[in-house]
Amino acid sequence: MPLAVPYLTVVGGGTFFTAVVLSLNTVIRNTGNTRGPMLVGIGMNVIHIIGNFVFIYGALGFPEWGLYGVAWSTNISRIAAMLVLFYLFRGAFPVFIRLRDLKRIDVPILKEIARIGWPMSINAASWTFTQMIIFSLIAVMGTHELAARTYMNTIESFSFLCGWSIAMAVQIQIAHLYGAGRIEEAYKAAWKAFYAGVAVVMVNTLVMYLFGKPIIRLFTASPEIVQLCLVLLGMNLLLQPAKMVNMTFGNALTAAGDTRFIMRTGIFSLWVVSVGLTYWLGLALGWGLLGVYIAMIADEFLRGLLAVIRWKRKMWVPGRRPAVHQGVSGAG
């Protein structure tokens, strides 16, 4: 607690910068410029790493702040990224954005943004809270289980990172196609991205599984944790394809403005399937992390399956769901 409270206070105070960075990143990427935000992200991480070194160890005459210094390094790197992204944002459109343009408020567009955005925010908040609950349940299982899940969070990111990038790219593409009224092309784009994403994710996951032991030993020497992580890497052969289904078609529906469907299915599956099965299988039946991963797989498959059915039936097409403002909703 003495370490966590000052850290969260400083990082929490910089939430504004995080929100601006996320907003600018999204706007710039949706214009088709994905390289700019990527380079800014790399630069932000470099600044963060250097800042961590300086503030943790008191290098170059700076105070030795430890974890408190990491919090300030986080905020400094985000402020730097925000300034560069704002510069890119001003030149992201055919007409250069002037500072006085930021004073303009277009109420109809703000209403449309809110209509599409509020279900996404609720879904994101729901995911965050369920993850907190799941991690608290894992903590009850024991220190080995908590450590294994923490390590697996990092290891798994290498499996789905490329797949997530494909899902983000197709979301931008579908938003442009949908906004242009090219519905059939948008429909086919999701399937192409799905097939490519699953292939990439499966290869990455298989590599992680085959070289699992030396990879896990980079994090821990505990034989119990290593053995537990190896079992979980095997379960990722099911989890990662399921996650790819959910990411691809969830992002596709989001690009078409069908965010309320994502919210409804997300709330049900995250709380009932993910949290419910985690408690029942992991704690009540004593299956531990095996039960947690079964719950995760079931949640991803259910949300992905529902999104596929929705996409396949073209319920996101104007005229097949409640009316939306044409032209604006497909702007991404």
Side-chain angles (χ1 to χ4, degrees):
M1 290 296 289
L3 290 171
V5 171
Y7 173 83
L8 289 175
T9 300
V10 174
V11 172
T15 303
F16 168 79
F17 307 119
T18 306
V20 176
V21 167
L22 289 173
S23 299
L24 293 174
N25 255 323
T26 302
V27 172
I28 295 167
R29 277 202 304 259
N30 276 282
T31 64
N33 179 12
T34 55
R35 184 174 297 178
M38 177 195 71
L39 294 174
V40 173
I42 292 172
M44 181 176 69
N45 283 311
V46 170
I47 294 173
H48 195 186
I49 292 170
I50 294 173
N52 284 353
F53 173 76
V54 168
F55 289 126
I56 290 174
Y57 303 109
L60 306 176
F62 283 88
E64 187 177 334
W65 282 345
L67 185 63
Y68 183 68
V70 174
W72 280 109
S73 171
T74 300
N75 280 348
I76 290 169
S77 64
R78 287 174 179 171
I79 291 171
M82 180 185 69
L83 294 175
V84 178
L85 285 169
F86 185 72
Y87 173 78
L88 294 177
F89 165 73
R90 294 185 66 190
F93 300 91
V95 178
F96 190 76
I97 297 174
R98 298 161 298 184
L99 292 178
R100 65 173 177 266
D101 292 330
L102 301 180
K103 297 179 182 179
R104 297 181 180 180
I105 299 176
D106 191 317
V107 175
I109 289 181
L110 283 177
K111 286 182 178 179
E112 185 66 14
I113 290 172
R115 186 193 67 78
I116 297 173
W118 75 262
M120 295 173 64
S121 65
I122 291 178
N123 191 56
S126 183
W127 184 87
T128 301
F129 282 119
T130 55
Q131 292 308 301
M132 289 174 60
I133 293 172
I134 289 170
F135 260 90
S136 68
L137 293 175
I138 294 173
V140 174
M141 297 175 189
T143 54
H144 284 167
E145 285 78 4
L146 184 60
R149 179 68 191 114
T150 303
Y151 298 146
M152 286 301 298
N153 253 354
T154 300
I155 295 170
E156 288 169 6
S157 66
F158 290 97
S159 294
F160 69 78
L161 192 61
C162 291
W164 174 238
S165 300
I166 292 172
M168 288 176 62
V170 81
Q171 179 175 343
I172 296 170
Q173 185 182 42
I174 289 173
H176 283 271
L177 293 170
Y178 179 84
R182 295 154 65 180
I183 302 298
E184 196 59 32
E185 290 178 66
Y187 175 77
K188 292 178 180 177
W191 289 103
K192 291 178 182 177
F194 166 66
Y195 295 134
V198 166
V200 171
V201 163
M202 284 303 298
V203 169
N204 288 348
T205 306
L206 192 58
V207 169
M208 290 291 170
Y209 178 71
L210 294 175
F211 296 95
K213 186 169 288 188
I215 292 173
I216 297 166
R217 289 190 183 279
L218 295 173
F219 297 90
T220 179
S222 168
E224 293 87 356
I225 296 177
V226 170
Q227 188 58 42
L228 190 54
C229 286
L230 287 175
V231 174
L232 300 181
L233 278 175
M235 296 193 71
N236 266 271
L237 294 171
L238 289 175
L239 176 62
Q240 296 307 323
K243 189 174 289 188
M244 190 65 219
V245 176
N246 187 26
M247 288 190 302
T248 303
F249 292 98
N251 282 17
L253 290 170
T254 299
D258 198 4
T259 53
R260 294 191 185 187
F261 174 80
I262 300 296
M263 176 192 69
R264 291 194 298 267
T265 57
I267 290 175
F268 172 79
S269 186
L270 286 168
W271 288 98
V272 176
V273 179
S274 190
V275 174
L277 283 180
T278 293
Y279 176 79
W280 183 50
L281 297 176
L283 284 179
L285 297 184
W287 290 9
L289 279 184
L290 184 65
V292 175
Y293 268 69
I294 291 174
M296 290 168 59
I297 293 168
D299 165 52
E300 295 286 355
F301 261 122
L302 177 60
R303 285 190 288 149
L305 178 62
L306 293 174
V308 168
I309 293 172
R310 182 84 167 181
W311 188 257
K312 196 172 180 64
R313 292 180 177 176
K314 297 185 179 179
M315 298 298 292
W316 45 277
V317 176
R320 298 199 180 188
R321 60 186 172 95
V324 295
H325 298 294
Q326 298 292 326
V328 179
S329 62

